[in-house]
Amino acid sequence: MSLHLSDDFLSIVLNETPLLDVRASVEFEKGAFVNTTNLPILNDEERTLVGTKYKQEGNAAAVQLAESLIKEEGKKKRVAAWKEYLSKNPDAKLYCFRGGQRSQISQQWLKEVGIDITRLKGGYKAFRNFLMQQTQDISASTQTLILGGRTGSGKTILLNKLDNSIDLEAIANHRGSSFGGFANAQPSQIDFENELAYKLIQFNHKKFNKLVLEHESHNIGRAFIPKPVYNNFMQGGLILLQTPMEIRAKIIYEEYVVLELKEYEKIYGDKALSVWVDNVKQRLNKIQKRLGSEFYIRLMKLFEDASAKHGLVEVKTLYLEWITLLLRHYYDPMYDYQIKKSSIPIVFKGAQKEVLDFIKSKEIKI
């Protein structure tokens, strides 16, 4: 029986090929790849039992135990689930942890019902190693332009207008500030690293001579950029996007109030506003010491007034006042201090159109 193997990992990344992960759920939750679906051949409990048997009595005994746990009915259910997935994703490839018995048996079972699927040579481990090596190599060889600017300047808006940029905050599902969390959770660290690798490889394939990134800290929420990669990113020149306070406050209002509440509504329904208000108050509490007692009380009162009147015409004015105070007295001094300390050379300052023109003048394909 001929079973196909592939280690053409580059093609998988460039095409974002669908992947069928037959590892146990507990393995998948720790980290997987872009466009991957988990349909395990062994559930978490079965995997533990089989793994223990393997350590105690060897491979043959472990395989025998797995077969007895799955049984014929279990085999049919698993194959049916894989068939359904592959009917929607006919180009998918298959993997387990090391490309060993779990994916090979899955591949054989599919072959028995007339479906040929290619499995990844070396499995998850080999593909993951490829991605991490590519991340190191590309970040080390790529020149960067680092887009900075005070909070609310519209850096993400500008990044999304460029073909030679990567939005690190989008990958981390976090906006990188005390109030930067979204309604849904951040990815696992491994998922974050894997998606960053995909983005870097895809960027590298476009052959631009400069990569544009936002000026981030090492951590974006709970996700962190591996230190050697972060150091590589920060070797470029710094561009400061300058945006008037009034516009910045409106950008923050749209992103952190209007759009964020819509996301909360998708998850929490009628409870969205109360959950969001509680979360914002928790975030304010976390920075209370930095704000100082008097300013903290003032901000909390203003936010409570705004959220209590949510839905009324004048509420936007209250939110904008609250946001402006936070920007002027908390975020701006902190960012200005960071810029003074930064060793990254400033190569340009300007408004959005000026910055776009400057970056596009550097967009030379190699």
Side-chain angles (χ1 to χ4, degrees), residues 87-314:
S87 69
K88 298 170 185 172
N89 301 278
D91 298 326
K93 290 180 169 49
L94 172 76
Y95 71 87
C96 64
F97 184 63
R98 289 190 178 88
Q101 286 192 309
R102 284 184 290 177
S103 57
Q104 189 172 357
I105 291 168
S106 304
Q107 193 180 29
Q108 287 171 342
W109 288 357
L110 284 165
K111 184 80 169 177
E112 289 168 10
V113 296
I115 297 174
D116 283 313
I117 185 169
T118 300
R119 63 188 166 95
L120 301 191
K121 186 177 181 181
Y124 168 88
K125 190 173 183 182
F127 190 18
R128 165 83 173 159
N129 287 341
F130 166 81
L131 293 178
M132 294 305 95
Q133 189 60 55
Q134 287 288 301
T135 301
Q136 293 272 11
D137 294 347
I138 295 170
S139 67
S141 62
T142 300
Q143 293 183 3
T144 58
L145 288 171
I146 304 153
L147 181 61
R150 289 171 166 177
T151 302
S153 297
K155 298 184 288 293
T156 301
I157 295 169
L158 193 149
L159 278 179
N160 290 331
K161 293 181 178 180
L162 300 169
D163 293 325
N164 60 328
S165 68
I166 293 177
D167 186 348
L168 296 170
E169 292 182 355
I171 300 172
N173 196 41
H174 196 284
R175 288 164 297 211
S177 67
S178 302
F179 294 84
F182 288 97
N184 52 340
Q186 287 191 257
S188 71
Q189 178 62 28
I190 290 173
D191 283 350
F192 170 74
E193 292 173 1
N194 287 346
E195 186 169 356
L196 174 57
Y198 265 65
K199 296 294 185 187
L200 278 170
I201 293 166
Q202 290 165 354
F203 160 81
N204 195 51
H205 190 67
K206 295 175 185 175
K207 303 294 184 184
F208 282 108
N209 72 327
K210 293 267 194 305
L211 170 63
V212 185
L213 301 162
E214 188 169 339
H215 190 204
E216 303 285 356
S217 65
H218 180 249
N219 286 63
I220 310 174
R222 73 176 187 186
F224 62 89
I225 304 166
K227 195 164 185 180
V229 177
Y230 180 77
N231 290 341
N232 289 336
F233 285 162
M234 293 300 120
Q235 292 300 311
L238 180 61
I239 298 168
L240 292 181
L241 176 59
Q242 298 174 320
T243 306
M245 174 65 81
E246 184 180 350
I247 296 174
R248 290 167 57 209
K250 288 177 180 177
I251 289 171
I252 293 293
Y253 173 73
E254 285 298 319
E255 288 186 6
Y256 286 72
V257 180
V258 178
L259 295 178
E260 190 165 306
L261 267 171
K262 286 181 180 177
E263 291 300 314
Y264 271 74
E265 284 166 7
K266 291 177 186 176
I267 298 171
Y268 299 104
D270 293 341
K271 297 179 180 178
L273 181 59
S274 63
V275 174
W276 175 74
V277 168
D278 287 345
N279 284 348
V280 172
K281 286 182 177 180
Q282 287 174 22
R283 294 167 190 170
L284 273 172
N285 287 335
K286 286 181 180 178
I287 60 172
Q288 182 176 355
K289 286 184 180 178
R290 295 183 195 173
L291 296 171
S293 297
E294 191 175 327
F295 188 46
Y296 165 78
I297 292 168
R298 183 183 174 191
L299 281 174
M300 184 63 82
K301 176 70 167 58
L302 188 53
F303 177 73
E304 286 174 343
D305 288 347
S307 56
K309 295 178 181 178
H310 199 86
L312 300 179
V313 175
E314 68 267 28

